[in-house]
Structures are given as structure tokens and as C-alpha cells.
Amino acid sequence: MSRLTDLIAQAKAKDPQMGADLEREYKALSSRLPFGLNFERHRPEAVELPQRPIRKGDKVLVLPERGSSAKRDLRLWVVKKIVKERGKKLAELELLDAERGTTQTHKVAVDDIVVVAEFRDTIYPGLVSTGKVERGGDKPCHTVINGENYHVLKALTWTHRGKVDAIYIDPPYNTGAKDWKYNNDYVEGDDLYRHSKWLAMMERRLLIARELLNPTDSVLIVTIDEKEYLRLGLLLEQLFANARIQMISINVNPAAASRAGAFGRSDEYIFFVMQGSSPARLPLDRDWVSVKGRTHTGAPRWDLLRRSGSGASRRDSPGCFYPIYVDVITPSIMKVGEPLPDGTSVPPQVEGSIAILPIRKNGSEGRWMMTPGELRSRIPQGRVRISVSKKGKKVVLYYLADGEFKKIEEGEFPVEGSAPDGSMVFAQSDSKEMGSVLAIPSTQWRIPSHDSTQYGTRLLADFIPGRKFPYPKSLYAVEDTIRFFVKERPNAIVLDYFAGSGTTAHAVMRLNRQDSGRRQCISVTNNEVAADEQAELREKGLRPGDPDWEKWGICDFITKPRVEAAITGKTPGGEPIKGDYKFIDEFPMGKGLEENAEFFTLTYETPVAVSHHMAFARIAPMLWLRAGSKGRRIDKLPAKGWEVVDAYGLLIELDHATDFFKAVGKAKGLRIAYIVTDDERRFQALARRLPEGVEAIRLYESYLTNFSFSNGD
Ligand SMILES: C[S@@+](CC[C@H](N)C(=O)[O-])C[C@H]1O[C@@H](n2cnc3c(N)ncnc32)[C@H](O)[C@@H]1O
């Protein structure tokens, strides 16, 4: 070890960057667990930012000519200078990883290069609003953010650290069929590193997501299929060592996708990573509780009192071989006898009753499930039931096991009364309606409304006709999944950072309607154009970043219009949406939802611009988000030096502090006071003047410090 450390120190002395890279690889190797998930971290991950203006010092890629389908040149360059020649902006570039001692330079039109952010680079995020829909009065606003989710998650560490109640994500499943990109290239099925690239991509984002979740009471929900569920499970266990993790199987395709020489696949999986939280008991309909079989009948399960299976003979437990005296007319248990002495098989008689012994079907001596004392204590609890055949010849005894009894105590099965034998009688639930059974379901969900073709793809087509999105989830499946964790939280913050078509936001809005909740959903997704469409656009000479390219991207073409259509009840073409919502809370989809939503695109700022107020318009949405995304926003620097809106205040000119504090004092529901000053002592003095419950935040110090740490990978 020390030899390696020495060598790294020597390398660092000669070439600091190479030394640092070597050290990082070494640390990654030495931190590998002897058991568990070992994978290449593939550092650094990089992403192209086609809409980001080029600045001196940027890392860039040189793009192939417009219209060309040539493979791209993946060498990274640094912009040394931007010059103007004959009215054209050119960038002087230097090759980033040139051999030591050599420099390679290049002069390229600014239009032909694209900024690349490596994930170890520091970023200073901002947001630009690209539209909003308001139908929800003073409810908080749902947000849809177009951006690379790694960077948006970083941005949220300043606005939502520890505040998120539930994360629901449906990441790319790594099918090998161009469903996601690593370093701007699709990861295909024959990529030897496809699993480790996927894991590296997931881990980086989960590490930040973990910072956003409420550490003591939250849930992370991840959907996945057979391609990566094993690796994902291990990754989650490693990252959330103290959480309770469960995986359920959900039938999303009742028609089953047939595979040559394999079983038809109809289900996928959902991991629930519960940090202090647990699923709520919900009123579930019959679809959730299978009527046949012993799993769940919608009523408590009575088990045979005579033991079957292993350890079921008298010899195994002589203390459980005793007579139970039954009056078959009532019927009722008159008495519970004592275990018969060894060698005795005939019980003493009790007048007016017949003695029932645990005799097995083959006539051999069996045993009851419990001792006489235990049985006696359960009879008055209504936990023992007698079934007598019509002619009174056959008597079978049943009991309610502890697990079932607990469900009754917790109200899952309402008790209606008691039978003549003293056993509990339960309300019959034949209804298909919600509310019939209060339960936490099993880990196998086979619910017709979870069909992703019917209630994902087809339902999406009702909202945004003619616009295609691959594999949206069933709206009702997402709604049901999240409901278990936010039912009791009407103000929950739900985050989906692989939002795709925006199903999660739609589901959260419907949940709000069902109980007048004020939950808010933050949806993050990039503006990726589908692989087949990309080729067509490239042929036309278009590139990412061009408005005619970007308008076909998922976020702009699918996510935002879908959320808007769900709220307004109108398609992007202005037609009322046809049809009704089904299953739970049925009403015309054309009625829309009384909710607010605002759409944003992530921007990349420089710390200098931020600290000089030059980026204020793009930082402004972050201030508003941090204060709860509701009410008015301060979009421009206030001319009077301060401003107070619904949820927060902003003080820029400290000379006007008195007026500011007067307004703060009058405001109701204020959460944050942002105070712009470089002077920590003055800031502290001002913070002390704030009313209780209003948090003071120093700008831009708090923002800049949050982001200034390098990402380390
Ligand atoms: C499987 S889809 C989610 C589908 C969604 N649950 C629905 O019902 O529509 C995953 C989405 O994540 C987006 N995505 C993948 N990688 C991303 C990244 N690094 N940043 C932002 N979005 C990303 C993809 O564009 C895709 O739309």
C-alpha cells in the first residue's frame, strides 16, 4: 500500500492531474468491498450542453459538419480565446489530453463546438421559466425541469436538501436498445461495460438523491425489470444501508411479451427503500386481494387448528394431544381438556358434548397447533371457530393466527358481531369500490389498472394525440404506488428525476384531487430526441441546441405538454380531452385538474455573474423553489432595494432594512428572508431581527458555497 502511495506522490509531483487521476482510481479500487457490488466507476461521466453559450475556459467537443452522420470526434478541447474574424465568432482551442510536452491547437467556428460538462466539474445552476399553467389558486406549484438530471439534482441540494418525502424514478432499464446514453453515446447490448456504466450512472444520481430525501421519514421508489434488478438491489443496499428495502413484482403487461424459448414476461419490479417510513394501510378493492387461494380473500384467513405438514404427529408434541369438548347443536366449545397421558387414546367423556381429538386424515394421532392453555385464552378473543357438517358427524376446528388477529386489531377487517361459537364475524366485502378492505397488499400486484399499454401508452395518446413516448407507466400504477407513502401527507414533496412523459406529476395531481391535498411534484427530464428521429434531423442539417431540434425533445414535446393537458383538460391542439379517468376517482379527463405547474430549463451560470447580480433572473426561480414554489416570485432585482412576496423576502440594499423588516413583520406565511451581503456580522445582526419561523439565508454566499465544492468524480 505505502509503495503505491509513494508512487502516486511521485506521479503527482511530476504531473498533478495524472497523479490526481491515479489516486482516484486507486481509492476506488481500495474501497471495493470484498462482498457486494464491484464495478468500474467510469470516471468522469460527461454530458453535452448544446444550449450553453461558449465561454473562455470551457471544455468543448468539435462537432461533425451539419448534415454529416460521421462518428463524432470525442477528444475534449479547452477554449483559450474567442475571436471575431470577418464577422464570424471563432474559438481558439487547445487539446485537453494532449501528450505531455505537446500542444495541439485548433481554430473552429463557435457554432461548431459544444460545451461538455464532466461530472467532476463544478456547476452553478440557474433556471429559466418556459411557461406555466395556473388553475390551483394558492396551491404550491408543480415544476417540470428540462435538464441533465445529475445537474438538476445538484441544483436541488440547495433548494430541497432533506426536504423530499418521496422519490419515484423509472430509470432507463439498460435494455441495450438505445434507451440511454453514457457520455453522449447510446449504451448498446454488446457494450462490455454496459452494466458498470449503468451502475455508475445510477450511483452518482442516487448519492445526491439521498441528500434530498428526508433522512428519517421518506421513501425512494425505483422501478426496474429483469435486466438490472439484481445489480440495482445490491446498489441500493450499499447506498441505503440503514433503510428497509422491499421489492415487489407488478404485472404491467397482462398480455405478456412472448420471448423465443423463454417465459412470457408480464411483470417488472419496484424497489421501495424506506427510511423510517412504511406503507400505509389503504382501502383496497378486490383487485388487490385474490379471492381464490389462501393468500388473501378479502376476509381474515382461518387456519386449521389441527397441525398439518411437518412436526404434526402426537409424538412431536404430546402436550398438544388433548380433547376439545364440542356441543355440536349450538355449536360451541364446552371445555378444553388436558393432554392425554402417554399410551392413552381415549379421552374422558363430558356430558352433552363430543370429544374432538386431533386425528389426521389417515387415522393416525396428530396434534393441535397450541397447548390447552393457549387455546383457552384465544376462545374468548373470538379466535376459534367450529364448523359442523350437516349431519353433525364431522367437526372441524379453525383458529386465527397471530398475524391475522393483528390485522383485525388494526382495523383491516371490520368485525360485525360474533357467531354462536363465540368466533368473530366479519363484514362481507363484495364491492369493487375502494374502501372495502383496509390493507397493505402483498408483494405481488396483479391489478388490471396497472397495464402500461392501456393506461400508459393509450392514456398518454388521449392527452397529447400523435406524440409518441416509449413505455410510459400506467398512470394508475404510479398513483397507487405513491399513495401508500403520501396518503397521510397532504403536503408531500415528490420528486421524479427520470420523469419521461410526466406520469408521476399527473399521478400526484390526481392524488391531490382525491383528498384536497397540496402535494407538489418536481419532475426532471432531459430534452433527448428519440434515436430514430435524431438521424432524420441530422440529415436535415440540424443539431442539438437548434430550436428545430429541441422542439422535438422529450421535455418540450412530451413532458410539459402532458402536464399542461392534464391540468387544462385540453390537448396541445386545444381540443377537450375525451374519455373519463377510470378505477379510482372517475371523472371526465376533459375537466382537467385544479393545480398549478411551471416549466423550467436548467442553465449554467458563472460564480462571478452570480455574485455580481448579473445572473439574478436565473437564480430567482431557485429562491422561489427553496421557499416552497408557491405564490409570487421576485423575478427582477427590486428597484427599491428589497421586496417581500408570499413565501419569502429579499433584501439587497441593507440601508432599507427597516422598511424590509416592517413588510416582513406584516407578511403571513413567510418562510425565508434572503439577505444579500458580504458581511457575515451584519448578516447575523439582521437575521436576529427576523420573526420566529423565518429562516435567514445569506446571498450569494449560501448559494456559491453550496455549489463550489468540486464533485469529486
Ligand atoms: C424510462 S423513462 C421514464 C418514463 C416515465 N416513468 C413515464 O411514465 O413516462 C426515463 C426518462 O428519463 C430520461 N433520462 C434518461 N437519462 C437522463 C438524464 N441523465 N437526465 C435527465 N433525464 C434523463 C429519458 O429521456 C426518459 O425520458
Side-chain angles (χ1 to χ4, degrees), residues 147-149 170-172 205 469 472-473 498-501 503 525-526 554:
E148 160 54 51
N149 58 9
D170 168 20
R205 287 153 181 84
F469 177 81
K473 291 273 173 276
F498 285 105
S501 71
T503 314
T525 209
N526 58 18
I554 287 171

